[in-house]
Amino acid sequence: MILQPENWAAPIGYTNGVAVQGRQIFVAGQVGWNPATCQFEAGDLTAQVRQALENIVAVLKEAGAGPEHLVRLTWYITDKSAYNAARREIGRAWKDVIGRHYPPMSLVVVAALLEDRALVEIEATAVVPDDSSPGTRIP
């Protein structure tokens, strides 16, 4: 169920809140590197976002879940200006990897991330509904 207080402007690219029930999956912060080699193959923000999202989807798949089960993401970025400049491209990467599913999200600008080459790190939470609960797909 989407939680959208009356008289609030509709959010763009995310949802203000959701209420769900089911098996919870917590995905550690994913950076934009190749998870097999722990090496960054791209130095630009959009490519790292795409890779971090692909990494999240791979972890979800291990739990029998998909992007449609995401209920919360927290993004950590190192450069607000770069993020704002790349919003359109980041949106395309999002749609390519996640689709048209927009869970609640927070974006935090940080001074640095643990991996020196990382420009973004994304934590995720997903919920896979049990047989008696409604789906978590957010329209």
Side-chain angles (χ1 to χ4, degrees):
M1 167 193 330
I2 292 178
L3 306 175
Q4 177 66 21
E6 193 173 325
N7 299 322
W8 280 29
I12 298 172
Y14 65 96
T15 300
N16 282 309
V18 296
V20 295
Q21 181 178 340
R23 182 172 49 93
Q24 299 177 21
I25 302 163
F26 300 93
V27 181
Q30 299 295 307
V31 294
W33 65 11
N34 178 327
T37 64
C38 298
Q39 298 296 313
F40 289 89
E41 297 174 354
D44 71 280
L45 180 60
T46 300
Q48 286 195 19
V49 165
R50 179 182 296 275
Q51 183 65 58
L53 293 172
E54 289 173 354
N55 295 349
I56 289 168
V57 170
V59 173
L60 292 175
K61 186 176 179 183
E62 284 295 306
E68 69 276 14
H69 298 112
L70 289 167
V71 297
R72 176 110 175 108
L73 292 120
T74 303
W75 297 49
Y76 302 93
I77 60 169
T78 59
D79 187 335
K80 180 180 174 181
S81 296
Y83 177 85
N84 283 327
R87 284 177 78 167
R88 184 177 304 269
E89 293 80 16
I90 289 170
R92 277 195 287 271
W94 175 272
K95 287 178 186 169
D96 289 347
V97 179
I98 305 297
R100 296 192 177 276
H101 177 66
Y102 305 101
M105 292 186 245
S106 296
L107 182 103
V108 182
V109 180
V110 296
L113 295 165
L114 183 61
E115 298 298 329
D116 289 334
R117 292 195 57 207
L119 304 174
V120 61
E121 183 169 333
I122 306 172
E123 295 177 330
T125 304
V127 175
V128 177
D130 57 30
D131 292 338
S132 63
S133 65
T136 59
R137 180 83 170 114
I138 302 167

